[in-house]
Amino acid sequence: MPTLRYSSIYFPVFMVLWLGLFLDSSMVAEHILFNQWATNFLVLICFVWVYLRVTAKIKKLMLYGVALALIGEVIFSIFLGMYEYRLENVPIYVPLGHSLIYAAVFYIQKENIIQRNKARVISILYWAMIGYSSLWLLFDQDVFGFLCTLVIVLLLRKQTGNELFFLIMFFMVVYLELLGTYYQCWFWPDTWFGKVPFIASSNPPSGISVFYFGFDIGCLWMYKKLNRQKWNRMKIFRQIRSS
């Protein structure tokens, strides 16, 4: 079996995110009817492409992720009104996209150059995250985004060994959110949930990836529960390798 090139996983995801969100933009919608379906089809093709190339474990995590993302989107967007999509729906491409982002981040962190400089990369991304969120707070009064970033900082202090994954996820979400809001595929209200006037928010909030962290943890929890024997074997192997 040929060696997997990690870029064959994450590079198509970067490109499809950009092209798909452009196709679903309000600008394209002025000229093409049902343009969102073009994005749905494009992201579905990318999902299948990635799914066929990843490990069995990531395949399962991607499927769990689609289910969790759909539930989360319905709750946070439709019922709670935390943000709103252009057509006031939950586009088909969104839950698929969540799983694609998960897979992309997983393989970005495995690149040799990142692993060889892991501590330095973590430090750079950590301070870049704080700087990015602080600038949004300073120049756009993004209180909500800054509070979300503070929660991320507290989570990272637990030293779980997943700091690199979560920091890469932070900036992957920054890329996604800046594209999606720029193309007006969705928007965030100027206060938290549009109902808490003393917690101002940017469009997008800078630290909103904290909710993706919950998504990541949820996927892993489902994997543990539904694949208990494999998970236990993996823990034993890690203990032997570290001893």
Side-chain angles (χ1 to χ4, degrees):
M1 183 175 179
T3 303
L4 174 68
R5 293 179 65 248
Y6 301 139
S7 59
S8 69
I9 301 298
Y10 60 78
F11 183 74
V13 174
F14 274 105
M15 296 305 298
V16 166
L17 286 177
W18 171 75
L19 180 57
L21 292 173
F22 169 74
L23 290 174
D24 189 36
S25 67
S26 57
M27 176 181 63
V28 173
E30 294 176 359
H31 304 283
I32 301 176
L33 293 175
F34 310 113
N35 57 312
Q36 191 172 96
W37 284 101
T39 301
N40 291 337
F41 180 74
L42 178 65
V43 174
L44 177 61
I45 293 298
C46 184
F47 184 91
V48 173
W49 167 273
V50 171
Y51 184 85
L52 294 175
R53 284 161 176 76
V54 297
T55 64
K57 177 185 175 181
I58 300 301
K59 281 183 169 69
K60 290 182 179 180
L61 287 167
M62 288 178 68
L63 295 177
Y64 302 155
V66 172
L68 282 175
L70 181 58
I71 294 170
E73 291 290 338
V74 170
I75 292 173
F76 287 109
S77 179
I78 303 299
F79 289 117
L80 298 180
M82 192 174 183
Y83 49 89
E84 185 175 301
Y85 289 101
R86 181 175 60 84
L87 299 179
E88 300 181 6
N89 61 347
V90 176
I92 293 172
Y93 71 79
V94 170
L96 296 173
H98 281 295
S99 285
L100 284 173
I101 290 171
Y102 185 100
V105 172
F106 179 84
Y107 285 104
I108 289 172
Q109 70 166 349
K110 292 176 74 68
E111 285 286 8
N112 290 332
I113 189 171
I114 292 178
Q115 287 298 316
R116 287 198 304 268
N117 301 279
K118 186 174 180 179
R120 182 177 297 177
V121 171
I122 288 174
S123 179
I124 291 171
L125 293 180
Y126 179 83
W127 290 109
M129 174 185 71
I130 293 175
Y132 174 82
S133 187
S134 298
L135 288 173
W136 276 92
L137 176 65
L138 179 63
F139 292 107
D140 203 40
Q141 291 74 54
D142 183 22
V143 177
F144 176 46
F146 189 77
L147 291 175
C148 289
T149 301
L150 290 181
V151 174
I152 295 171
V153 170
L154 291 175
L155 291 173
L156 292 176
R157 287 174 64 89
K158 293 183 179 295
Q159 297 291 320
T160 63
N162 295 316
E163 293 82 9
L164 178 61
F165 178 91
F166 287 136
L167 286 166
I168 295 174
M169 176 65 76
F170 178 92
F171 286 101
M172 189 73 167
V173 173
V174 165
Y175 173 74
L176 170 72
E177 288 287 343
L178 289 177
L179 281 175
T181 52
Y182 175 79
Y183 287 128
Q184 299 179 353
C185 302
W186 61 80
F187 75 92
W188 296 80
D190 56 9
T191 62
W192 188 23
F193 287 101
K195 300 179 178 66
V196 187
F198 58 88
I199 301 182
S201 175
S202 291
N203 179 38
S206 61
I208 202 60
S209 64
V210 70
F211 289 90
Y212 283 76
F213 294 1
F215 165 79
D216 302 335
I217 294 168
C219 289
L220 192 58
W221 179 85
M222 287 186 67
Y223 184 86
K224 290 179 182 179
K225 293 298 181 181
L226 298 177
N227 302 270
R228 194 177 297 275
Q229 290 184 342
K230 287 185 178 180
W231 182 257
N232 289 335
R233 285 200 300 268
M234 185 175 68
K235 286 199 301 183
I236 293 172
F237 175 75
R238 286 178 175 175
Q239 290 172 357
I240 294 173
R241 189 172 59 178
S242 62
S243 61

